[in-house]
Amino acid sequence: MISDARRPLFSEEHIIFREQVRAFLEREAVPHHDRWEAEGQVDRAIWTAAGAQGMLCPTAPEAFGGVGGDPLFSVVVVEELARAGVSGLGFWVHSEMAVPYVVNFGSEAQKQRWLPGLISGALIAAVGMTEPDAGSDLRGMKTRARQLDDGRWTIKGQKVFISNGQMCDLLVLAAKTEVEGRDRISLFLVDAALEGFRRGRNLDKLGVHAQDTSELFFDDLVLPADALLGAIGEGFAYLRHGLVRERMMIAVSCVAKAERAMALTQEHVHQRKMFGTSLGAFQNTRFVLADCATDITVGREFIDSFLARYIAGELDEHNAAIAKLWATEMIGRVTDACLQMFGGWGYMTEYPIARMWAEARVERIAGGASEVMRDLIGAQL
Ligand SMILES: Cc1cc2nc3c(=O)[nH]c(=O)nc-3n(C[C@H](O)[C@H](O)[C@H](O)COP(=O)(O)OP(=O)(O)OC[C@H]3O[C@@H](n4cnc5c(N)ncnc54)[C@H](O)[C@@H]3O)c2cc1C
């Protein structure tokens, strides 16, 4: 169970915020999650309720309605979402993936336009990088932006697997642009209410059923001139910058999820009676739990030390890839070992461990596959 007691990074303020977030999720999200899973997305009202609690974009500047917290406030939200098992809430996609692009690279006018609504939860954000034929190899994307004589942009193409895709009001879109005769990726802030922005299917996934994951189509979508984010042709550099935060937060989330899987399993093995004793009494069970506890303890210390680097602005792409690779492989090991302890019940989706196992599977793929992480790490060795 997550406690800040032995985590020197966290102050009294973080601890109080954690209690508030935990209580909010228990009250406002947990009771509805099964229904959201059946419906394939969460209620919109939970977004504004979370915004009112300062849970969305906790690091966003005060000038735009944020609380201007340090990154540990984000960590608290990400960990508590994992602890509560409310995987359908795409808050971290919004706060840790999408909105930082607006904060870090947006113009003053773009920030004025978008940030207050994104912070309050009135607006929901998503990031559109992946396409049906280009995921790991982002440079292979085909979605193209062309500038018209009057400065506006036309966008033609499609994206896939976009988290918050059904619900988003703002899409941070990556598209090819021509810069001095060469194709380079640029980012755009796309208002989802514009004609030419079309949502496709809410994709049916192996897990994370309450999180909407969509196809998006751009049928000659026309964007105003000021929809370009930052400098033309710099999109790939911006994505690389953003992916450090995204991967670090995935790693944070995985350790918290492993703690939850372990807690559920400990409870189960001591209750489950067999062969005249309890499942927990077998040496094999103790060995399984010992391996999980070792993974979690190592993970917690490792991730907290990388968080300290991250807060100091010293976590680079190489180390973010190490964090993501290790933590996502670890959550796969831990949820699989824990599920085994539940026997057939572990395969039933009414048991949280079954859902956690399915949810853990995506961690080695989304945000950059493990092989891409190994490539990034290996390139510097
Ligand atoms: C649930 C979910 C949510 C997602 N949310 C978003 C989102 O919000 N926004 C967004 O833009 N994208 C999102 N994605 C997309 C995700 O980032 C991609 O699925 C991922 O980057 C892999 O791309 P791909 O699916 O095209 O697989 P491919 O690129 O086709 O890769 C397939 C496999 O090839 C192997 N491989 C890839 N590269 C290498 C390499 N260099 N060396 C060796 N082997 C390699 C890996 O095993 C990989 O799994 C999401 C995906 C999922 C499943």
Side-chain angles (χ1 to χ4, degrees), residues 93 97 127-132 134-137 160-163 205 213 362 365-369 371-372 375:
V93 172
M97 277 175 73
V127 178
M129 296 178 274
T130 308
E131 300 186 358
S136 305
D137 181 12
V160 75
F161 306 148
I162 306 308
S163 306
K205 305 186 292 297
T213 306
V362 78
I365 298 169
E371 293 77 4
V372 173
D375 242 7

Side-chain angles (χ1 to χ4, degrees), residues 15-246:
I15 293 168
I16 293 167
F17 184 59
R18 185 184 292 284
E19 283 164 7
Q20 287 167 353
V21 173
R22 189 172 290 187
F24 174 85
L25 293 175
E26 286 298 332
R27 194 179 62 243
E28 307 284 343
V30 172
H32 304 292
H33 207 265
D34 283 350
R35 175 173 58 82
W36 292 338
E37 294 211 342
E39 291 172 0
Q41 65 181 56
V42 305
D43 293 338
R44 217 175 158 103
I46 186 81
W47 283 83
T48 42
Q53 298 278 319
M55 279 176 60
L56 300 179
C57 322
T59 61
E62 286 173 87
F64 302 99
V67 290
D70 63 52
L72 290 173
F73 286 93
S74 290
V75 169
V76 166
V77 176
V78 168
E79 288 181 342
E80 290 305 313
L81 289 168
R83 195 202 69 86
V86 287
S87 58
L89 291 174
F91 294 171
W92 84 268
V93 172
H94 172 93
S95 306
E96 307 308 320
M97 277 175 73
V99 176
Y101 288 109
V102 184
V103 172
N104 292 326
F105 306 113
S107 65
E108 191 58 26
Q110 287 170 330
K111 290 181 192 178
Q112 293 282 3
R113 171 168 181 203
W114 292 108
L115 286 180
L118 293 167
I119 293 165
S120 73
L123 301 176
I124 298 173
V127 178
M129 296 178 274
T130 308
E131 300 186 358
D133 295 321
S136 305
D137 181 12
L138 279 178
R139 285 197 171 94
M141 71 176 61
K142 295 196 183 93
T143 297
R144 183 165 285 281
R146 291 183 206 280
Q147 197 159 25
L148 301 169
D149 291 342
D150 62 5
R152 292 181 303 157
W153 297 89
T154 57
I155 311 279
K156 200 166 175 50
Q158 61 174 298
K159 298 287 170 183
V160 75
F161 306 148
I162 306 308
S163 306
N164 294 346
Q166 290 291 310
M167 297 189 76
C168 70
D169 304 285
L170 169 69
L171 177 72
V172 179
L173 173 74
K176 285 263 177 72
T177 44
E178 197 180 302
V179 184
E180 292 166 359
R182 294 181 57 196
D183 275 349
R184 301 201 44 186
I185 293 171
S186 298
L187 298 188
F188 295 87
L189 297 182
V190 178
D191 182 343
L194 289 172
E195 212 178 306
F197 180 100
R198 189 160 56 84
R199 298 176 213 265
R201 289 174 301 157
N202 187 4
L203 296 161
D204 190 14
K205 305 186 292 297
L206 185 64
V208 204
H209 295 296
Q211 161 85 75
D212 51 316
T213 306
S214 286
E215 303 170 313
L216 297 175
F217 299 93
F218 317 109
D219 310 319
D220 289 320
L221 168 70
V222 178
L223 301 180
D226 63 3
L228 177 71
L229 183 71
I232 188 165
E234 291 302 316
F236 197 70
Y238 298 161
L239 292 175
R240 285 177 68 177
H241 179 275
L243 283 164
V244 168
R245 180 169 181 161
E246 178 180 339

